[in-house]
Amino acid sequence: MKIYIANMGKEMKILVINSGSSSIKYKLISMKKEEVLAKGLIEKIGSKDALLEQKTFHGKKYKDAREILNHEQGISLIIEMLLNGEYGVLKNINEIDGIGHRVLHGGDKFSNPVLITEEVKDKIRECIPLGPLHNPNNLKGIEAMEKVLPNVKQVATFDTAFHQSMPDYAYIYGIPYKFYQEEKIRRYGFHGSSHRYVSEKAIQTLDNKKNLKIITCHLGNGGSLCAIKDGKCIDTSMGLTPLEGIVMGTRSGDIDPAIIFNIAKKLDMTIQEIDDMLNKYSGILGISGVSNDMRELIKAINENNPRAILAMNVFTYKIKKYIGSYLATLNGADAIVFTGGIGENSYFPRELICKDLENLGIKIDVEKNKNTILGKEGFINKKDSNIKILVLSTDEELVIARDTKDIIN
Ligand code: ADP
């Protein structure tokens, strides 16, 4: 079975940047064979002992702690490391043909990746109220790169873009319409590059049939589901922010909004404290009291920890309910796809999610499921399952690199 079709093209090197508040992740990809030449991470930007780590395709590893005070220094260091005689992979800076940036929130302004211009940066800035924690840091990465490599074209790929095809009845919340009109409060959805990438891979795997209906489950530390018809998103579980939807590592997912008023009044908690509680201390971590990490949760389940078992049951039950609702939204489905750190590697939650759905045409093959982990891809459904179940690995950086290549070409 051939799941992955490499995008053969002219030799071109693209640097992909994911710039966060105190970290920058990067990958340099050679587009001819879509091969990662180097990848790295800078952490604790703004401190005297910031960390830099880089690995290359020829097995060279570099790790160091040093002062990195801002994003510009971080970006300069990345370029320096890529050019480093011993640990680097480039001889000349001109070998970088384009730079692709991951940008969290494109609001309703971007439904596709775009070449970065002053106007585009202004629009990303206008989306800051929607993505206050991410968009300013994404912009810092873009502006630092402009200073360091002013002649190289830069492209922005938005986490929200793929979901812009949702119909209005899927993205409008049941609150007064003026909040949408005046404040742009609506469902946007996230993980768009991942849902797009794995759904395209699934369509290839299913012989490029037309009008396929696919439910993609991106299950990582953050997680979301997406209902896709003929390659287009028609609904997704995350909302205005990544807090809505399924139960995640540390995020609550859907709750009764009245819980917020209730605890604010009873426990005298501030808005910021409740925000932190729902984003950082809830989800699998909050229910289990063990960890947000699936591997730790499974360890605790194996030791019969009742709250770890409960957290797993809540996590998988919620995903099952979303799959049920998307089967209704799509009027059936051809395939369900699992991806992300949990979706690709952890067979137990997949088994719980797909169990007891025979009446809906979903029959998981328990043995195939157990064997499809750690980078393996493929079908995990029984032969007579009406709906195919697939495990596919995602690669958000590759999506950004492909977008960048297409746009600068
Ligand atoms: P994110 O990108 O959202 O930070 P990832 O997609 O990297 O997250 O997924 C992280 C999750 O994947 C963690 O809960 C981790 O425990 C889980 N995971 C990664 N590898 C495995 C594995 N081999 N077995 C079980 N869970 C795994």
Side-chain angles (χ1 to χ4, degrees):
M1 179 182 57
K2 192 172 177 190
I3 287 179
Y4 172 74
I5 298 174
N7 185 4
M8 306 294 278
K10 150 182 171 312
E11 171 68 311
M12 193 180 234
K13 288 175 188 148
I14 304 288
L15 179 60
V16 177
I17 297 286
N18 185 353
S19 173
S21 59
S22 63
S23 72
I24 306 175
K25 284 187 201 149
Y26 63 99
K27 247 186 201 180
L28 182 71
I29 302 178
S30 165
M31 298 309 290
K32 195 165 180 188
K33 290 189 185 156
E34 299 194 329
E35 183 182 27
V36 177
L37 301 176
K39 63 177 183 179
L41 166 70
I42 294 183
E43 284 177 299
K44 300 211 286 185
I45 294 176
S47 75
K48 283 197 180 325
D49 54 354
L51 299 170
L52 163 73
E53 217 180 317
Q54 178 170 287
K55 288 182 192 158
T56 64
F57 75 107
H58 40 45
K60 291 261 181 187
K61 283 186 194 165
Y62 183 88
K63 205 172 177 180
D64 184 22
R66 61 170 87 182
E67 182 178 277
I68 304 174
L69 294 179
N70 52 46
H71 284 67
E72 210 177 310
Q73 282 182 10
I75 292 282
S76 299
L77 186 60
I78 290 170
I79 302 298
E80 219 176 274
M81 279 310 300
L82 292 172
L83 287 166
N84 186 288
E86 192 179 348
Y87 295 99
V89 288
L90 296 177
K91 291 208 165 57
N92 190 310
I93 196 66
N94 299 331
E95 288 175 55
I96 299 178
D97 296 288
I99 296 154
H101 291 268
R102 180 177 186 177
V103 179
L104 182 88
H105 221 303
D108 56 7
K109 298 178 195 301
F110 298 102
S111 49
N112 286 301
V114 284
L115 188 70
I116 296 174
T117 59
E118 285 306 314
E119 194 192 341
V120 165
K121 282 195 289 176
D122 285 344
K123 285 188 182 168
I124 296 174
R125 225 166 267 126
E126 282 166 31
C127 295
I128 288 178
L130 299 171
L133 299 180
H134 293 81
N135 277 31
N137 298 308
N138 301 151
L139 273 168
K140 276 188 197 164
I142 293 171
E143 288 177 338
M145 202 45 107
E146 281 175 339
K147 284 196 186 142
V148 178
L149 294 180
N151 299 320
V152 182
K153 286 187 176 153
Q154 303 200 61
V155 168
T157 290
F158 299 88
D159 267 30
T160 47
F162 180 63
H163 304 300
Q164 279 295 300
S165 49
M166 266 185 290
D168 53 4
Y169 53 80
Y171 68 70
I172 290 292
Y173 289 116
I175 58 176
Y177 195 67
K178 70 170 188 179
F179 288 96
Y180 167 61
Q181 284 177 308
E182 292 168 19
E183 305 299 328
K184 306 255 184 214
I185 289 180
R186 50 159 281 186
R187 176 183 311 288
Y188 289 97
F190 298 87
H191 293 137
S193 302
S194 176
H195 289 297
R196 171 156 64 104
Y197 179 71
V198 295
S199 61
E200 283 170 4
K201 251 179 163 181
I203 291 168
Q204 286 174 9
T205 308
L206 299 169
D207 302 325
N208 290 310
K209 285 195 197 104
K210 290 262 167 249
N211 298 316
L212 286 173
K213 299 173 189 171
I214 297 172
I215 299 170
T216 46
C217 310
H218 176 106
L219 310 179
N221 196 29
S224 64
L225 272 74
C226 188
I228 297 165
K229 197 173 185 179
D230 204 16
K232 290 203 165 55
C233 164
I234 61 164
D235 202 355
T236 189
S237 60
M238 281 179 168
L240 173 75
T241 74
L243 184 57
E244 192 183 349
I246 62 171
V247 170
M248 300 172 227
T250 61
R251 295 190 195 119
S252 63
D254 305 335
I255 59 165
D256 177 348
I259 292 171
I260 297 169
F261 324 130
N262 190 295
I263 58 177
K265 278 186 207 147
K266 256 197 195 153
L267 304 177
D268 200 22
M269 283 172 77
T270 63
I271 293 284
Q272 188 54 52
E273 284 167 342
I274 298 174
D275 189 324
D276 282 350
M277 184 273 284
L278 294 174
N279 274 294
K280 298 182 188 163
Y281 306 112
S282 295
I284 289 174
L285 170 70
I287 300 169
S288 69
V290 174
S291 171
N292 61 310
D293 192 290
M294 184 51 71
R295 286 164 288 203
E296 297 298 318
L297 190 78
I298 289 176
K299 235 188 255 169
I301 290 170
N302 290 335
E303 290 159 5
N304 282 323
N305 178 324
R307 270 177 47 200
I309 295 168
L310 177 64
M312 178 64 91
N313 287 338
V314 176
F315 174 70
T316 53
Y317 178 66
K318 192 60 183 256
I319 296 168
K320 195 189 271 269
K321 285 208 325 193
Y322 262 101
I323 289 175
S325 73
Y326 288 167
L327 284 173
T329 299
L330 291 163
N331 190 13
D334 297 287
I336 295 172
V337 179
F338 287 100
T339 194
I342 298 170
E344 291 167 38
N345 296 304
S346 199
Y347 67 87
F348 185 49
R350 290 191 310 233
E351 184 181 327
L352 293 181
I353 292 163
C354 295
K355 183 173 116 167
D356 301 329
L357 292 178
E358 296 85 0
N359 285 338
L360 295 179
I362 299 168
K363 295 185 187 173
I364 190 164
D365 183 317
V366 175
E367 278 312 304
K368 274 190 198 160
N369 180 42
K370 264 193 185 154
N371 293 326
T372 311
I373 52 168
L374 306 177
K376 266 200 187 170
E377 299 184 300
F379 291 103
I380 56 167
N381 54 278
K382 285 188 178 157
K383 277 208 173 113
D384 63 340
S385 178
N386 283 340
I387 298 177
K388 304 271 183 274
I389 313 171
L390 269 163
V391 175
L392 295 173
S393 45
T394 192
D395 192 338
E396 286 160 295
E397 288 87 5
L398 181 59
V399 175
I400 297 171
R402 284 181 183 171
D403 287 346
T404 305
K405 179 184 150 195
D406 289 348
I407 286 181
I408 65 178
N409 269 342

